[in-house]
Amino acid sequence: MARIFPIFSGSRGNCTYVGSGNGGLLIDSGAGAKRIIESLKQNDISPEEIKAILITHEHHDHVSGLKALINALNIPVYASEQTLAALINSDKIAKSTPLNVITNTVEIHDILVKRFETSHDCAGSSGYVFSLRDNTKIAVCTDLGSVTQTVRDALLGCNVVMLESNHDINLLQNGPYPLQLKQRIASDSGHLSNTCCARELPALVNSGATQFILAHLSQDNNNPNIAHSCATATLLDNKMYENRDYMLYIASQNYNKMIIC
């Protein structure tokens, strides 16, 4: 049975588990290795079940614990060529680490992984779709300023979609951040707003999505109630009802639970 576990999600660190009873993969390592391993064990996932780690991009909140986690679990790393180069150049991974470039699709321990490009302010940023043996398709897609057609095509047909819902536009515009940072977040290579996220959900339901995870919520420019309301209101406008047509979860910085797909 397929499972997804958003271990940590937000500006202070990101790490997600995708897998089944036969093992699984991690996406990003933006927290300490000890905290990640302890969280896995609390959800009955042993470290030996982790077969590899995939990196979306090189920003600190996605890779701060990477080197220590690789040493602890002795697992290979997968990412785009640009991301792997950035990790090596910034000493986030040792040159002796087994590195694997994903250009399109690759099979990792019975899980077919498809990489797709995302629009973020670094070279080679990635989202991933995971196809498991039970035919469940899970998408993990955060840190993108806009939903391009490439992203949309990748998400359509997935059963479970973890999608960024980073900020409320009004909170961002009227908040304490410097103007330059506000402009960066709101740009097409920044982070996805609640409104932009919600806009994509009805088409995903129509294509087979039954579970959504709103992820990477800003601590300062968003809150779970606003993100939830924006998503459900847009879906309701399309006559799609929570707990009937879909399930909706909010990934937090801590204390998330395993989701059975």
Side-chain angles (χ1 to χ4, degrees):
M1 186 172 292
R3 299 179 290 175
I4 180 170
F5 174 28
I7 305 171
F8 304 110
S9 180
S11 57
R12 288 181 290 154
N14 296 273
C15 182
T16 301
Y17 167 88
V18 170
S20 65
N22 298 319
L25 311 172
L26 292 180
I27 302 94
D28 291 331
S29 178
K34 183 177 180 180
R35 291 180 63 208
I36 292 172
I37 292 171
E38 286 177 352
S39 295
L40 290 169
K41 289 179 178 178
Q42 289 170 5
N43 282 268
D44 298 320
I45 303 170
S46 69
E48 290 74 22
E49 290 184 49
I50 307 303
K51 306 305 179 182
I53 183 165
L54 296 98
I55 304 300
T56 60
H57 63 295
E58 76 269 19
H59 288 168
H60 182 78
D61 58 324
H62 292 260
V63 300
S64 62
L66 181 58
K67 184 180 286 189
L69 189 66
I70 293 169
N71 290 336
L73 300 182
N74 191 27
I75 53 176
V77 177
Y78 290 77
S80 69
E81 184 175 8
Q82 298 98 320
T83 296
L84 291 175
L87 293 173
I88 292 172
N89 292 336
S90 60
D91 196 34
K92 292 293 192 300
I93 50 176
K95 292 183 178 179
S96 59
T97 301
L99 302 178
N100 299 270
V101 174
I102 299 183
T103 55
N104 189 8
T105 59
V106 64
E107 186 170 351
I108 310 173
H109 190 71
D110 294 339
I111 300 175
L112 186 66
V113 182
K114 176 179 175 61
R115 174 193 172 263
F116 57 93
E117 293 184 1
T118 55
S119 175
H120 200 42
D121 54 356
C122 59
S125 63
S126 306
Y128 297 104
V129 172
F130 304 89
S131 299
L132 288 90
R133 281 289 182 91
D134 64 358
N135 295 319
T136 301
K137 292 180 69 175
I138 300 172
V140 175
C141 183
T142 67
D143 294 72
L144 67 166
S146 60
V147 178
T148 62
Q149 193 59 47
T150 295
V151 171
R152 190 171 291 115
D153 290 343
L155 300 184
L156 288 171
C158 291
N159 309 105
V160 183
V161 178
M162 181 174 176
L163 183 61
E164 179 172 50
S165 190
N166 177 259
H167 61 276
D168 172 81
I169 296 172
N170 290 327
L171 287 179
L172 176 65
Q173 290 176 342
N174 297 297
Y177 285 8
L179 178 59
Q180 185 176 4
L181 180 55
K182 290 179 181 180
Q183 291 173 335
R184 179 224 165 210
I185 291 170
S187 74
D188 284 346
S189 59
H191 290 277
L192 209 62
S193 70
N194 293 337
T195 302
C196 290
C197 171
R199 190 182 299 144
E200 302 299 319
L201 303 185
L204 295 176
V205 172
N206 284 331
S207 76
T210 58
Q211 299 186 74
F212 295 113
I213 305 168
L214 306 185
H216 212 299
L217 272 67
S218 169
Q219 185 176 347
D220 300 311
N221 303 306
N222 208 355
N223 72 57
N225 290 333
I226 293 176
H228 182 276
S229 295
C230 186
T232 54
T234 300
L235 287 158
L236 187 59
D237 286 343
N238 288 268
K239 297 181 172 30
M240 297 172 178
Y241 297 88
E242 187 177 9
N243 300 322
R244 188 195 76 176
D245 301 306
Y246 64 91
M247 303 288 290
L248 184 68
Y249 307 92
I250 308 290
S252 67
Q253 190 65 69
N254 295 297
Y255 311 119
N256 296 299
K257 295 182 179 180
M258 182 75 68
I259 297 170
I260 306 299
C261 306

